[in-house]
Amino acid sequence: KKRNEENRKKKKTLGEMKKPVGAEKKRVKRSSGSASTAARDSGSDAPPRKQAVKKDLFQLFAEKVRDHKGLESRWAVMEQARVEYFRGKDFVSFIKNHPECKDILEEDKDLDTEDIANVLLGKNLLVRCDRVTKTLRPGKKKLSTWPAHLEIFRDGQAFSETDAFFAWTFEKRHPLWQTLLSFFWPVLTLAICLFPVYPHRCKLIVLYSCAGILLMILSLLFVRALAFGAMWILFGKRVWFFPNILAEEATLKELFRFWPKKDEEEPPKWTSRLFYTVVAVVVVMLLRRHAPDEAARARYQRRMSNIIDDVLEWSPKLALSGLMENQPPVNITEAANNSSDAASPDQTEEVDQDETQGDEEGEDWNNSDIKT
């Protein structure tokens, strides 16, 4: 009886303990379900996890302004690096003439030019620069408009319109034609190396086109230098036609600009003009005196034409045929006779040696018989 009563008590206590545990499990399940539904409801209103990274509008504005042809810029060396820079007054005039460029800024398009430039400076898209040489060179009235060497401005990075330079700090995107040109250069190099195996007509086309372009460039430079020398000696003016023809950083439009820039330098002295006039006359007289005669010119022309003909007419087939033709014909019978004739003296010498040895042996035998 006692054992039965103890078992009943244990069952009651176990039942009482199981009831709150089950209730707690139900409560946990209900709470987790309500939390998941709340998360679903809130997730429907929240934005998606993977959103496109929005690019800085001022970065896009800087790239657009830099690629625009309306803003005049130059290249210079700043702390052992080449940078592209512009002047502050040119930036102000550019924004005034092209206000549509500010539309990319959206909410900030109503900002002033100075505020926009200060934002670009704050985002390190621009850096203010200053000229390295701040003293006038001898013979000049003012400093150069576009200095070739710059340094970082030390007195604060703020926009200024008067005598201030600003350099771009980000790398410029390369256009598609430059990418295609980078793939085209190896093909062009391979084509140049394979020039000797071209057909004769292609060789003539390449030769005459390259010679014509080279002659045009040299004649243009010669006429340009001649016009400059004549204007400088006669009138004391520095006039360079096609002023950007030898410029490294120039667009195609600027490269073939014909009219020269305004001469801002001090005119030369009459003594220097007279000195260079005498030097030019002496050089012309020396060239005329020591010029080659007709026979020498014909000889030089013949040599050059022979060299060009060798280059144009060369081909692997002609080279192989020329090598075969230069070799003398080989006759088998004559070769055999020559080989027999070459080998006969040795054989005769061996026969003579054998005969002499036989005679000596015969004499030795006779002497031995006599002694016996």
Side-chain angles (χ1 to χ4, degrees):
K1 291 180 180 179
K2 290 181 179 178
R3 289 177 182 175
N4 293 330
E5 290 178 357
E6 289 177 356
N7 292 329
R8 290 175 184 174
K9 290 180 180 180
K10 287 181 181 180
K11 288 179 181 180
K12 288 180 180 180
T13 53
L14 290 172
E16 291 176 356
M17 291 176 64
K18 287 180 180 178
K19 284 181 181 178
V21 172
E24 288 178 357
K25 287 183 179 179
K26 290 180 180 178
R27 289 176 185 174
V28 169
K29 287 181 180 179
R30 290 175 182 175
S31 61
S32 62
S34 61
S36 61
T37 53
R40 289 173 186 174
D41 296 337
S42 63
S44 61
D45 297 334
R49 294 179 180 178
K50 294 183 180 180
Q51 290 183 347
V53 180
K54 191 174 182 180
K55 197 171 183 180
D56 189 6
L57 296 178
F58 285 93
Q59 174 76 26
L60 298 175
F61 173 77
E63 293 176 356
K64 185 176 181 180
V65 172
R66 188 175 183 180
D67 294 335
H68 203 284
K69 302 298 182 182
L71 181 61
E72 189 176 3
S73 61
R74 293 288 187 276
W75 288 84
V77 178
M78 185 178 68
E79 296 182 356
Q80 299 180 357
R82 289 181 61 83
V83 294
E84 186 180 3
Y85 72 100
F86 58 88
R87 298 179 296 183
K89 59 181 182 180
D90 294 334
F91 185 74
V92 173
S93 61
F94 171 77
I95 297 297
K96 187 183 296 184
N97 297 328
H98 302 278
E100 68 276 2
C101 293
K102 295 196 298 182
D103 295 339
I104 198 172
L105 296 176
E106 296 179 356
E107 297 178 356
D108 299 327
K109 65 180 180 179
D110 296 329
L111 293 176
D112 296 335
T113 304
E114 185 176 356
D115 296 335
I116 293 174
N118 288 326
V119 173
L120 295 177
L121 290 169
K123 291 180 176 292
N124 293 326
L125 298 172
L126 285 178
V127 61
R128 184 174 176 179
C129 312
D130 194 8
R131 59 178 80 244
V132 176
T133 56
K134 302 178 179 62
T135 57
L136 289 173
R137 293 181 180 179
K140 290 190 175 182
K141 294 182 180 179
K142 62 178 183 179
L143 296 172
S144 60
T145 307
W146 297 96
H149 297 275
L150 298 173
E151 62 182 0
I152 298 177
F153 191 70
R154 306 296 180 184
D155 297 337
Q157 293 291 318
F159 182 77
S160 177
E161 187 177 352
T162 57
D163 197 21
F165 305 99
F166 300 91
W168 301 107
T169 57
F170 60 91
E171 293 184 0
K172 189 175 181 180
R173 292 182 300 174
H174 297 287
L176 180 61
W177 67 270
Q178 289 186 359
T179 306
L180 296 176
L181 191 64
S182 63
F183 289 102
F184 175 72
W185 279 121
V187 178
L188 181 62
T189 305
L190 183 62
I192 292 172
C193 295
L194 295 177
F195 177 77
V197 297
Y198 284 6
H200 186 72
R201 189 180 297 276
C202 294
K203 288 182 180 180
L204 289 178
I205 293 172
V206 172
L207 176 65
Y208 289 126
S209 59
C210 292
I213 294 172
L214 183 61
L215 182 62
M216 183 182 67
I217 293 172
L218 293 178
S219 59
L220 177 62
L221 295 177
F222 177 74
V223 173
R224 180 172 175 264
L226 190 63
F228 173 81
M231 296 290 288
W232 189 81
I233 290 173
L234 296 177
F235 305 104
K237 300 291 185 180
R238 299 176 180 86
V239 180
W240 283 108
F241 296 103
F242 294 101
N244 299 323
I245 196 67
L246 298 177
E248 295 182 0
E249 301 293 339
T251 60
L252 192 63
K253 184 178 179 181
E254 295 176 352
L255 190 66
F256 293 101
R257 189 178 67 181
F258 176 75
W259 196 249
K261 296 180 180 179
K262 186 179 179 180
D263 187 12
E264 299 177 353
E265 298 182 3
E266 187 178 356
K269 298 179 181 180
W270 66 271
T271 53
S272 60
R273 292 164 58 187
L274 181 61
F275 172 74
Y276 283 107
T277 303
V278 173
V279 170
V281 171
V282 171
V283 169
V284 170
M285 292 179 65
L286 289 174
L287 290 176
R288 186 175 180 182
R289 180 178 180 84
H290 296 283
D293 54 359
E294 292 295 335
R297 284 197 291 269
R299 186 166 58 253
Y300 297 151
Q301 184 179 2
R302 194 180 303 111
R303 290 179 181 176
M304 289 302 299
S305 62
N306 291 334
I307 293 172
I308 294 173
D309 291 339
D310 292 340
V311 173
L312 292 177
E313 295 177 359
W314 186 91
S315 67
K317 293 181 180 179
L318 292 176
L320 293 174
S321 63
L323 291 174
M324 295 301 294
E325 289 176 358
N326 291 331
Q327 292 182 358
V330 179
N331 194 347
I332 299 175
T333 57
E334 291 182 358
N337 294 330
N338 292 330
S339 62
S340 62
D341 294 339
S344 59
D346 297 333
Q347 293 177 357
T348 52
E349 288 178 1
E350 291 178 358
V351 172
D352 294 338
Q353 289 178 359
D354 294 336
E355 290 178 354
T356 52
Q357 288 179 0
D359 295 338
E360 290 178 356
E361 289 178 356
E363 291 178 358
D364 292 337
W365 281 105
N366 293 326
N367 292 329
S368 62
D369 292 337
I370 291 169
K371 288 179 180 180
T372 53

